[in-house]
Amino acid sequence: PLKRAAYLCELAGQRIDAENNTAMPGAFLMQQMEWRESLDDARTLEQVEALADEVAAHRESALERLQQLLDDQRDAAAAAQQVRALMFVERFAQDVDHRLEALGQ
């Protein structure tokens, strides 16, 4: 869904350009920092699983919002911002998955 959304944004004239455009709302950045700290502090499988569940729920909500922006509101600029945010979430989810693997799941 993320690659499809990025493609649709590009078709609408909104480049994702995630390498150069990393500006994010403050609340989003705070959430990312809190997640990073939680992952750094997590010592048990249960703690990391709880964080993984939280990130998965956030991802699902963000994907629903992205669908609304593209399909209902046709707001490619806001959708491009949402795609960039989801790219951060995806990378963090991979870090959580790596930690789960390291803990033996």
Side-chain angles (χ1 to χ4, degrees):
L2 193 54
K3 287 183 181 182
R4 178 182 174 273
Y7 177 70
L8 291 173
C9 289
E10 298 266 344
L11 284 179
Q14 292 296 319
R15 296 190 61 213
I16 300 303
D17 198 25
E19 297 80 27
N20 298 318
N21 187 349
T22 58
M24 292 288 154
F28 177 80
L29 294 174
M30 289 300 295
Q31 178 68 62
Q32 292 292 304
M33 288 173 48
E34 289 173 12
W35 281 348
R36 288 273 167 211
E37 289 174 4
S38 293
L39 184 59
D40 289 344
D41 294 342
R43 299 290 175 245
T44 67
L45 182 61
E46 292 78 19
Q47 290 171 322
V48 180
E49 285 175 337
L51 183 58
D53 291 344
E54 182 180 338
V55 172
H58 178 87
R59 181 181 180 271
E60 285 302 313
S61 175
L63 285 171
E64 288 174 14
R65 176 73 179 131
L66 181 57
Q67 181 182 3
Q68 291 170 354
L69 289 169
L70 285 170
D71 296 340
D72 300 336
Q73 298 174 12
R74 303 208 183 275
D75 187 345
Q81 178 72 18
Q82 186 77 356
V83 167
R84 286 188 290 274
L86 272 162
M87 292 171 83
F88 277 96
V89 172
E90 291 290 331
R91 281 191 294 270
F92 181 71
Q94 290 174 354
D95 292 345
V96 172
D97 287 343
H98 288 104
R99 176 65 72 84
L100 284 171
E101 290 171 10
L103 289 172
Q105 184 179 21

